[in-house]
Amino acid sequence: MTSPEVETALAAGKRSALIAVGAIEQHGPHLPLATDTLIATETARRVAERMPDLLLGPTLPVGVSTHHLTFPGTLSVSERCFQEQVAACVASLGAHGVERVFALSGHGGNLGPLARLALEVDGRIGATEFVPFSDLAAFLEVFHSVSAQDGISPQLSGVHAGEWETSIMLAIHPELVRMHTADAGFVGAFDSATAERLFREGTASLAANGVLGDPRPASFERGERHLTAWVDTLVDYFTDRDS
């Protein structure tokens, strides 16, 4: 959109916007560094199609990825820097008359920072309501449930560069997926102790190839189902709060 087009949309009564946040970080030997940003961008586009009263904002491409920094190509900002960037974007939209900003993430590591930002500002940045989807357990459950329909366990579906993420990338950017290099990484239970180790010691402490799951069962068809389930979840969540 051009600036005059945004002005026209606001004058016509649009008062809610959606922004996405992603990451530039390693995704094993088979997926590109921009995986999370690409998935977040496509997810936001599909959500906006379902919620035509939303203004679709940009994807912020760099997130909180400290636990992947031992892998070349990964970029990361501090939690505070990330939160300040999100807050500044929300405040900018609010200055133009946007009353509510929804946020989604393609990177699980951004969800905690988003939740803590929303808590810190008590759900408002200036006069603008800030509504992120920030439930990591619910985020993963969406994809694991779809995987389970085809007999794929949560351990193989994974939490990073496993079946579900690879399936989505096969659905939206197959030209960027190197399935000939795909291999399993950590396929144990991802419990709270494992999560703490991941963020404390880094991804390489769990899997030398940076994969948490097994990408080899991935498919284009299941990637579309993953995306549909994820978009359904977000539309329901945002619609309930868009009033």
Side-chain angles (χ1 to χ4, degrees):
M1 298 176 74
T2 65
S3 178
E5 288 170 342
V6 174
E7 184 177 28
T8 298
L10 291 168
K14 289 196 175 186
R15 288 293 180 268
S16 295
L18 170 65
I19 61 173
V21 294
I24 303 296
E25 62 182 31
Q26 71 82 24
H27 275 74
H30 65 292
L31 293 179
L33 293 158
T35 289
D36 291 341
T37 295
L38 294 169
I39 290 175
T41 301
E42 178 62 15
T43 302
R45 186 188 69 80
R46 295 188 185 203
V47 169
E49 283 184 345
R50 296 267 302 275
M51 300 179 68
D53 288 337
L54 284 180
L55 286 166
L56 177 57
T59 300
L60 306 183
V62 180
V64 183
S65 302
T66 309
H67 47 296
H68 293 291
L69 277 174
T70 56
F71 294 90
T74 297
L75 305 179
S76 184
V77 294
S78 69
E79 176 167 328
R80 177 46 64 185
C81 178
F82 171 78
Q83 291 171 329
E84 288 178 348
Q85 181 177 223
V86 171
C89 289
V90 174
S92 297
L93 290 167
H96 303 308
V98 173
E99 297 172 355
R100 183 179 300 103
V101 176
F102 300 111
L104 66 87
S105 179
H107 169 46
N110 291 337
L111 297 179
L114 286 173
R116 288 186 284 275
L117 173 61
L119 184 64
E120 179 184 325
V121 301
D122 197 24
R124 286 193 172 275
I125 295 173
T128 306
E129 187 178 2
F130 175 54
V131 185
F133 185 96
S134 57
D135 187 333
L136 178 59
F139 173 80
L140 293 173
E141 178 59 26
V142 170
F143 307 115
H144 291 172
S145 294
V146 174
S147 300
Q149 293 170 6
D150 293 339
I152 298 171
S153 70
Q155 290 78 19
L156 300 186
S157 183
V159 299
H160 182 77
E163 177 275 319
W164 71 261
E165 252 187 327
T166 304
S167 290
I168 292 177
M169 285 298 290
L170 285 172
I172 65 173
H173 285 289
E175 75 282 3
L176 300 180
V177 181
R178 288 84 157 165
M179 285 303 295
H180 65 284
T181 64
D183 202 2
F186 174 79
V187 291
F190 195 76
D191 54 20
S192 58
T194 304
E196 288 175 9
R197 179 181 173 187
L198 170 69
F199 289 111
R200 183 180 66 250
E201 301 178 21
T203 308
S205 69
L206 297 175
N209 67 353
V211 176
L212 307 179
D214 188 345
R216 292 174 296 182
S219 74
F220 164 90
E221 183 274 335
R222 196 179 308 106
E224 281 294 331
R225 285 194 279 132
H226 280 304
L227 265 178
T228 297
W230 179 218
V231 170
D232 286 346
T233 298
L234 289 166
V235 169
D236 288 346
Y237 183 83
F238 294 146
T239 299
D240 285 347
R241 291 156 179 81
D242 192 21
S243 59

